[in-house]
Amino acid sequence: MANTPSAKKAARKIARRTATNKNRRSRVRTFLRKVEEAIASGDQGAANEALKAAQPEIMRAASKGVMHANNASRKVSRLNARVKALSA
């Protein structure tokens, strides 16, 4: 348990930051799920729209430190390749 005033404040800040990061991570997962479902349905138009909506959300998570930048780029790249493959 935190004893000093600075440790108590740090604990409060960590709790706030954890809640914010949890929300951001949840939003990213929701957007990813929408893209995955669109790809699974085979509808390229819907998959394209879902990817367009998901991409900024994923990159925002990376810039905020919720997700590593390389991880975000890799996810976007692989989703893009899968959406592109639907047309073939």
Side-chain angles (χ1 to χ4, degrees):
M1 184 63 206
N3 290 320
T4 63
S6 60
K8 288 178 181 175
K9 180 179 179 182
R12 290 195 303 270
K13 284 172 68 176
I14 288 167
R16 274 199 304 271
R17 197 169 38 231
T18 300
T20 306
N21 285 346
K22 204 172 184 182
N23 279 336
R24 286 196 179 116
R25 197 173 303 117
S26 176
R27 271 181 68 86
V28 168
R29 286 182 182 144
T30 302
F31 277 95
L32 286 175
R33 187 173 40 77
K34 287 178 182 172
V35 177
E36 292 287 346
E37 287 171 355
I39 290 172
S41 73
D43 184 0
Q44 194 192 6
N48 235 341
E49 289 304 311
L51 181 60
K52 270 186 190 164
Q55 189 168 351
E57 198 64 40
I58 294 169
M59 297 320 282
R60 190 174 301 120
S63 70
K64 299 291 184 184
V66 175
M67 170 187 285
H68 198 282
N70 288 0
N71 186 359
S73 293
R74 186 176 66 241
K75 277 189 189 302
V76 169
S77 176
R78 289 182 180 172
L79 284 173
N80 219 348
R82 288 173 61 197
V83 169
K84 195 174 178 184
L86 285 177
S87 65

